[in-house]
Amino acid sequence: MASRIMMIPLRSFALLSPRQSSASLMLRKNCNDAVRCYSSHDSTALAERVARVMAAKSEAGLTYDDLAGKLGVTNTYAAQLLLGQAKLTPETATKLKAAIPAISSDDVEHMVHTFPMRTFDNEILKEPNIYRTYEAVTHYGEAMKAIINEQCGDGIMSAIDFYCDVGTTTGKHGEKRVVITFNGKFLPFIEQKNGDNGATSPRD
């Protein structure tokens, strides 16, 4: 029976000490319903890299806003790069190495040449910060769809040609408030005209 490489939630490793991370890697011996398995993706190596990169960020004393400013990207995208959820370009790699000198050249090289497995573990939805955001999007989802349709037509917001930024503001009573901006290209649904279909299926 072929061995399978399992996927361990990356965010868990970002919060663990090296000793805890090593202990958590013992989970690699078993592949069960709580873990995603991909034969083409060494998630254990990725989790170890994320832990090293996060440690280097802490050593540099940078916030995500600081890092975003040095890289020329949004703060959310800067975090995605470190978490292995976005691909590092060669141009940005040079800026990253300058911003966080403790990141090894091998890790930077891997971030440039490896295609991310963009995914998440369902367990992450149990984290209160995340499930409240998820709840807000789903609760207001139908209303947001209605407004998108009214303003743009029949289509969707892209999550590929997309920018996400997280910030804060101060409310009228002096309280700190979270501001999350989704800025995605509108993609209209097409009418599937036969004349425009350049790859029709064969009919026997």
Side-chain angles (χ1 to χ4, degrees):
M1 180 177 178
S3 62
R4 294 191 293 174
I5 298 173
M6 73 179 200
M7 182 172 184
I8 301 172
L10 298 182
R11 291 155 185 82
S12 298
F13 284 92
L15 301 175
L16 297 179
S17 68
R19 179 175 295 181
Q20 289 172 313
S21 296
S22 298
S24 298
L25 293 178
M26 295 299 292
L27 292 171
R28 192 175 189 276
K29 294 181 178 179
N30 299 298
C31 186
N32 52 44
D33 292 340
V35 181
R36 296 176 184 272
C37 301
Y38 300 102
S39 60
S40 63
H41 184 72
D42 189 345
S43 54
T44 298
L46 178 57
E48 291 172 342
R49 190 193 80 199
V50 169
R52 290 192 299 270
V53 169
M54 287 299 188
K57 172 184 174 291
S58 295
E59 183 178 328
L62 297 177
T63 66
Y64 284 115
D65 274 349
D66 293 335
L67 182 59
K70 292 178 181 294
L71 300 184
V73 299
T74 66
N75 58 5
T76 309
Y77 196 81
Q80 289 285 78
L81 286 170
L82 301 193
L83 292 169
Q85 291 287 311
K87 193 173 187 299
L88 185 65
T89 65
E91 178 186 0
T92 304
T94 302
K95 298 176 183 178
L96 179 64
K97 184 65 176 171
I100 307 179
I103 293 183
S104 73
S105 297
D106 285 345
D107 282 340
V108 172
E109 190 78 4
H110 197 262
M111 293 167 74
V112 169
H113 294 292
T114 302
F115 292 96
M117 183 69 75
R118 295 174 174 88
T119 186
F120 69 93
D121 192 283
N122 289 331
E123 289 294 303
I124 201 172
L125 294 178
K126 295 178 181 179
E127 203 286 322
N129 200 330
I130 294 170
Y131 74 62
R132 284 299 183 209
T133 305
Y134 177 80
E135 180 184 50
V137 172
T138 53
H139 179 73
Y140 288 95
E142 188 173 358
M144 289 189 289
K145 176 191 181 302
I147 295 169
I148 290 171
N149 290 157
E150 183 177 78
Q151 295 184 354
C152 300
D154 185 25
I156 64 171
M157 178 183 69
S158 172
I160 297 175
D161 191 338
F162 178 83
Y163 301 85
C164 180
D165 186 69
V166 179
T168 60
T169 189
T170 301
K172 62 185 294 186
H173 301 296
E175 77 280 11
K176 180 166 282 190
R177 305 182 70 85
V178 178
V179 180
I180 302 174
T181 301
F182 288 176
N183 176 0
K185 180 180 179 180
F186 178 72
L187 301 175
F189 288 105
I190 66 166
E191 182 180 19
Q192 298 184 27
K193 296 181 179 180
N194 284 332
D196 294 336
N197 183 7
T200 57
S201 299
R203 268 79 166 170
D204 290 337

